[in-house]
Amino acid sequence: MFRRLLPLLALLLMAVPAVAQERVLNVYNWSDYIDPEVVASFTRESGIRVRYDVYDSLETLEGRLSAGRSGYDIVVPTSEPTFARLLRAGALRPIDRAAVPNWANLNPTLMERVAAIDPGNRHGAIYLWGTVGLGIRVDRVRAALGDVPFDNLDILLKPENAARLASCGIMVMDSPTDVLPSVLRWLGRDPNSNAADDLRAAEQALMGIRRHVRAIIASSSILDALATGEACVALTYSGDVIQAATRAREAGRGVEVGYVMPREGAQLWFDMMAIPADAPNPEAAQQFINFLLQPDVMAAITNQVRYPNAVPASRPLVNEAVRNDPNVFPSAEALSRSFVAGTPPREAERLRTRLWSRFKAGR
Ligand code: N2P
């Protein structure tokens, strides 16, 4: 009996060092935010296996990371507030530029914008960026509202419009961080205000449409609901809407999805590739960042997820339809009206969280 098991045992022993040597990269990224083929080709090229987890809101990401020992090597927080807060808490590791030669491919003007919170850009490189706006079912909204201009948040936030659209499905992504600034801007207030009366006004605006809102759910579920036609107006991230539009078109069931970038000024955000201070495999993380910063790799990602990147040399390699889509690459004029969220102090953050619970509960 034992004799027969011996060869098996020998085989197992031989396999142990191989397993111990296997290199693993633990990635925690947004959902629907990469071309899976890119991950596969990184593994083929480097021999590093990728364990890939996803989140769909900054609140989820921050909750997971602030406990420490997340076990991740790569995370992708938005520059403000999440990346800024993690940085301040000492939760991010400086990136060794010598290990990331493709850093030179990054657009210096865009990187300058995030240098204000990360002097010298020591802890993060821009992965992708985009705006917050509305995904709409164009025909349904046209039928319900008539010939109004489809270029601002009136569609969602004016109670009379929301009442007309309620039956076809209004949804809002479950993220006070990425929703409140746009509501404040629509009200003509400072999108980054932490003043109690501004936040109260934002709450009133949201409560004014609450009974017409079908769902306040994770951004990943909003993408699905837009693609199937279950949502006819949804406040979410730009590229998610464009991905939903593509899926809806491919499904061929007559669902036509459009993106509305708020004319009053859209929230603009930058998502940063960063390495947690306690990352188990920071060398592999740097290798991965370097891999992603290649122009052809970045072009593949933008083509797939419909968000612009920060590698200008990728631009000629992006499909023409994507390259010329002003919802993917906003015009200079639209950008000049946009704003970037700030980092609310603790007390204001508490007010925002409480306000959001009341909005979700509807009272
Ligand atoms: C991807 C979500 C976009 C990231 N599904 C928002 N910062």
Side-chain angles (χ1 to χ4, degrees):
M1 170 71 179
F2 183 68
R3 189 102 49 88
R4 243 192 290 149
L5 278 179
L6 216 57
L8 194 72
L9 203 74
L11 214 86
L12 266 174
L13 282 176
M14 267 159 59
V16 168
V19 170
Q21 272 165 19
E22 190 196 31
R23 292 169 70 206
V24 178
L25 174 74
N26 302 283
V27 177
Y28 196 33
N29 195 1
W30 293 87
S31 51
D32 302 293
Y33 215 39
I34 203 159
D35 178 352
E37 183 44 43
V38 162
V39 179
S41 63
F42 172 73
T43 297
R44 272 198 304 275
E45 210 168 277
S46 65
I48 299 173
R49 187 165 67 83
V50 178
R51 236 195 57 215
Y52 198 96
D53 288 346
V54 296
Y55 52 88
D56 47 20
S57 77
L58 288 174
E59 287 80 2
T60 305
L61 169 66
E62 196 167 340
R64 188 73 184 266
L65 289 189
S66 56
R69 278 195 269 162
S70 65
Y72 293 117
D73 299 302
I74 290 270
V75 291
V76 190
T78 302
S79 66
E80 287 198 75
T82 316
F83 175 78
R85 256 192 230 133
L86 290 170
L87 193 54
R88 217 181 297 140
L92 300 177
R93 192 180 206 276
I95 295 172
D96 175 11
R97 291 280 179 88
V100 190
N102 290 329
W103 196 278
N105 295 340
L106 285 162
N107 177 338
T109 316
L110 288 180
M111 289 301 288
E112 189 55 46
R113 291 191 70 146
V114 291
I117 43 158
D118 180 22
N121 295 124
R122 291 181 60 234
H123 301 81
I126 298 173
Y127 176 56
L128 299 171
W129 54 280
T131 56
V132 173
L134 295 179
I136 61 169
R137 279 188 76 167
V138 183
D139 53 344
R140 298 295 168 94
V141 176
R142 180 85 56 222
L145 303 186
D147 233 358
V148 300
F150 281 4
D151 62 359
N152 64 65
L153 292 186
D154 286 3
I155 298 174
L156 170 75
L157 292 173
K158 278 200 168 159
E160 62 271 30
N161 291 344
R164 285 198 199 104
L165 291 161
S167 62
C168 74
I170 297 178
M171 301 190 183
V172 175
M173 66 170 153
D174 187 5
S175 172
T177 306
D178 276 338
V179 170
L180 290 177
S182 297
V183 176
L184 286 164
R185 178 65 154 228
W186 177 78
L187 288 165
R189 300 186 183 229
D190 171 5
N192 286 315
S193 173
N194 294 307
D197 74 305
D198 286 330
L199 293 176
R200 212 169 307 124
E203 177 171 351
Q204 268 163 16
L206 288 170
M207 284 302 192
I209 60 161
R210 180 61 186 91
R211 64 198 176 92
H212 306 305
V213 175
R214 184 175 297 170
I216 302 159
I217 47 175
S219 63
S220 57
S221 308
I222 297 226
L223 199 167
D224 293 338
L226 278 168
T228 57
E230 202 198 314
C232 80
V233 175
L235 185 65
T236 191
Y237 304 116
S238 51
D240 284 28
V241 174
I242 306 164
Q243 287 183 56
T246 310
R247 281 196 216 166
R249 214 175 304 122
E250 283 165 6
R253 289 203 203 91
V255 175
E256 187 203 342
V257 177
Y259 180 64
V260 173
M261 192 181 329
R263 228 207 104 69
E264 56 270 21
Q267 181 183 338
L268 181 70
W269 45 261
F270 298 94
D271 285 339
M272 312 297 298
M273 297 185 263
I275 307 177
D278 57 3
N281 199 351
E283 284 76 30
Q286 284 166 174
Q287 226 173 308
F288 189 60
I289 294 175
N290 194 52
F291 184 83
L292 294 182
L293 289 176
Q294 300 173 96
D296 57 328
V297 171
M298 265 303 172
I301 295 172
T302 292
N303 280 330
Q304 169 92 15
V305 302
R306 314 300 169 105
Y307 286 101
N309 60 65
V311 172
S314 74
R315 191 76 173 246
L317 307 170
V318 171
N319 299 336
E320 210 179 314
V322 177
R323 202 184 331 140
N324 296 330
D325 185 342
N327 291 325
V328 180
F329 293 94
S331 68
E333 190 260 341
L335 285 177
S336 73
R337 276 180 284 117
S338 71
F339 63 90
V340 176
T343 307
R346 284 270 161 250
E347 186 48 36
E349 196 60 58
R350 258 196 296 275
L351 287 179
R352 285 165 179 247
T353 312
R354 262 186 257 139
L355 171 176
W356 196 253
S357 319
R358 288 193 294 269
F359 172 51
K360 284 180 76 175
R363 62 194 139 81

